[in-house]
Amino acid sequence: MVERALTSAAGAGRWASVPAALRIGILYLGARVVTTAFLLLAGQLSGPASRFGQDADLGRFALGWDAQWYWYLAENGYPSELPLTESGQVAENQWAFMPVYAYLGKALGLPLGSWGAGAVVISLVAGYLGCLVLYRIVRMRAEEDAAMWAVVFFACAPLAAMFQVGYAEALFLLWLLLALWSVMRRRYAWLYALVPLMAFTRPGVLAFALFLALFGIWRWFSRRSEPLRVREVVHIVALGLLAAVTGFSWQVIAGAVTGDPGAYLATELAWRRNWLGEASAGFVPFEGFVQGAGFWFASWGLGAITGYIALAASIVAVAALLLFEPHVRRMGPEIRLWSASYLLYLLAVFFPQSSIFRLLLLLSPLWGAVAVPRSVWWRVSILGLCLLGQWWWIYNMYGLGNTYWQIP
């Protein structure tokens, strides 16, 4: 028994002596093997009713759903005239998708043979690099083992298939993690490149603008414990303005090209009409979540009023979690302020439907808080739930993918 314990300790010591980047690479590769197995199994279970057809393969999954839009954008660009439905409403079109991921996929796809190959490679590499940055972020606030477990949860998370399909989430998440790491280290210069990259990869940089505003307020009130120099104030203000300007610039660009100032918002609302019909005629901040709470709870037979109460209770519960939960607090104000900013942004602009799971991927820095408790049972249980959730999501969104709540 003593010999077994010594052997186990020696094995753990050898693993710990391996460079972190290599250990993370091994874990990430193992996670991708598991996700690939899930996708292959979902393809085998895919039936005639699925949008992917019977016996779907990895290529069809990788280019499914929004990946088709990114491919179409890379091949055809943006329309100068907005397409219209038979009723005269703006139809779904490329203006809902930002250019960076689409055109990077096209550039990398040239030597690889296809846009899809280039896009998947970008997602795979961005996922691995995101693991490295997440490790560094958590390591600033917690022990080595917590940082490595945070990487494991991140790589095996319920939405980990995003690292293997033609979606921009993995690339945006890499920019975001780098940006948060820069703020945590007070290395603001990097943000002048990262903020525009975020702005033109996918929607969400306005949440980062709010984060910088809240972070600036926090820095002001904490200046006694950490001196606040004029140069830092200038950086925070300038970067907040840059994030706001680039965040709204896509609306200006879409309006200038199409001649319709409301082109971008009308395009985004075209997707919302799939659930609400003409009720989504215009954009009003926070209206989407209120409508969604009523819509879903009424659909489930629980009544719209129950939905509004559940929405209010959820907001209070999440706020309490970010403010008071000790493991979340240990991750530091930057992670908590980003999480609050992004959730507020989603409340303001999004209509809740099955895509909400994918959008919550940008809360991945919170995996550090989940990994902090050192109980083996806790960590193994969380990993098991991650894998179970990953299979459920892949099977429903890709293996089935045939009804209104099975959209990634």
Side-chain angles (χ1 to χ4, degrees):
M1 190 171 182
V2 173
E3 181 181 353
R4 185 184 303 172
L6 290 173
T7 302
S8 176
R14 285 194 297 271
W15 172 251
S17 67
V18 175
L22 181 55
R23 280 183 286 150
I24 290 170
I26 294 170
L27 294 171
Y28 183 72
L29 180 61
R32 302 286 60 77
V33 169
V34 172
T35 299
T36 300
F38 285 161
L39 287 168
L40 289 171
L41 179 58
Q44 290 296 312
L45 297 175
S46 178
S50 167
R51 71 180 281 131
F52 296 98
Q54 199 161 4
D55 296 327
D57 57 23
L58 293 177
R60 271 190 275 175
F61 285 161
L63 294 177
W65 298 109
D66 283 0
Q68 295 180 26
W69 280 107
Y70 283 111
W71 165 80
Y72 189 77
L73 165 59
E75 295 299 320
N76 300 282
Y78 293 95
S80 57
E81 293 186 14
L82 293 173
L84 302 177
T85 64
E86 293 181 358
S87 63
Q89 298 281 355
V90 173
E92 300 168 351
N93 65 84
Q94 301 96 291
W95 283 109
F97 302 91
M98 308 306 181
V100 168
Y101 181 75
Y103 289 118
L104 277 179
K106 184 174 184 178
L108 186 57
L110 290 176
L112 295 178
S114 70
W115 180 88
V120 170
V121 168
I122 290 171
S123 294
L124 279 168
V125 173
Y128 168 66
L129 296 177
C131 287
L132 295 180
V133 183
L134 179 64
Y135 171 84
R136 296 297 179 187
I137 286 174
V138 179
R139 195 67 186 88
M140 293 179 68
R141 308 294 189 195
E143 295 80 10
E144 160 77 16
D145 64 328
M148 199 59 71
W149 272 99
V151 167
V152 171
F153 297 151
F154 175 65
C156 297
L159 273 292
M162 286 292 107
F163 301 137
Q164 297 179 223
V165 296
Y167 272 70
E169 263 68 17
L171 186 60
F172 185 93
L173 189 53
L174 173 60
W175 307 143
L176 171 66
L177 291 169
L178 285 168
L180 290 173
W181 190 35
S182 299
V183 172
M184 293 174 72
R185 295 183 300 152
R186 310 297 186 252
R187 305 286 179 85
Y188 299 106
W190 290 101
L191 294 173
Y192 291 98
L194 290 168
V195 165
L197 285 171
M198 284 193 286
F200 296 107
T201 297
R202 70 176 300 283
V205 76
L206 288 176
F208 199 78
L210 176 59
F211 158 72
L212 287 171
L214 296 177
F215 174 74
I217 294 170
W218 173 79
R219 285 292 291 117
W220 174 260
F221 283 103
S222 65
R223 64 190 187 277
R224 291 185 178 178
S225 58
E226 181 184 351
L228 179 63
R229 297 178 175 84
V230 173
R231 183 174 62 179
E232 186 177 357
V233 173
V234 171
H235 277 308
I236 293 171
V237 172
L239 288 164
L241 291 173
L242 178 63
V245 169
T246 55
F248 285 110
S249 66
W250 194 244
Q251 297 183 40
V252 177
I253 293 170
V257 172
T258 63
D260 181 352
Y264 174 70
L265 290 179
T267 297
E268 289 288 0
L269 290 173
W271 269 269
R272 191 178 296 186
R273 284 198 302 272
N274 293 330
W275 287 270
L276 298 179
E278 300 306 315
S280 60
F283 172 75
V284 178
F286 300 102
E287 182 184 45
F289 250 91
V290 175
Q291 290 177 325
F295 172 83
W296 288 108
F297 276 78
S299 300
W300 298 332
L302 300 174
I305 298 300
T306 306
Y308 304 143
I309 295 172
L311 175 61
S314 298
I315 293 171
V316 171
V318 171
L321 181 72
L322 294 176
L323 284 172
F324 304 116
E325 207 287 322
H327 303 102
V328 176
R329 289 176 62 88
R330 185 172 176 180
M331 288 299 101
E334 297 87 356
I335 301 303
R336 294 160 64 208
L337 289 174
W338 159 251
S339 302
S341 299
Y342 183 64
L343 289 171
L344 185 60
Y345 166 81
L346 287 183
L347 280 173
V349 305
F350 189 65
F351 174 81
Q353 31 89 359
S354 55
S355 294
I356 192 70
F357 299 114
R358 170 170 56 86
L359 299 186
L360 292 177
L361 185 65
L362 298 186
L363 295 177
S364 292
L366 287 174
W367 281 121
V370 179
V372 166
R374 306 192 70 173
S375 165
V376 174
W377 288 108
W378 167 262
R379 289 170 170 173
V380 171
S381 298
I382 294 296
L383 177 57
L385 290 173
C386 284
L387 294 174
L388 183 64
Q390 186 180 158
W391 165 246
W392 179 91
W393 190 83
I394 288 173
Y395 177 60
N396 277 281
M397 306 302 166
Y398 287 91
L400 298 180
N402 58 0
T403 189
Y404 66 97
W405 62 267
Q406 292 170 329
I407 301 174

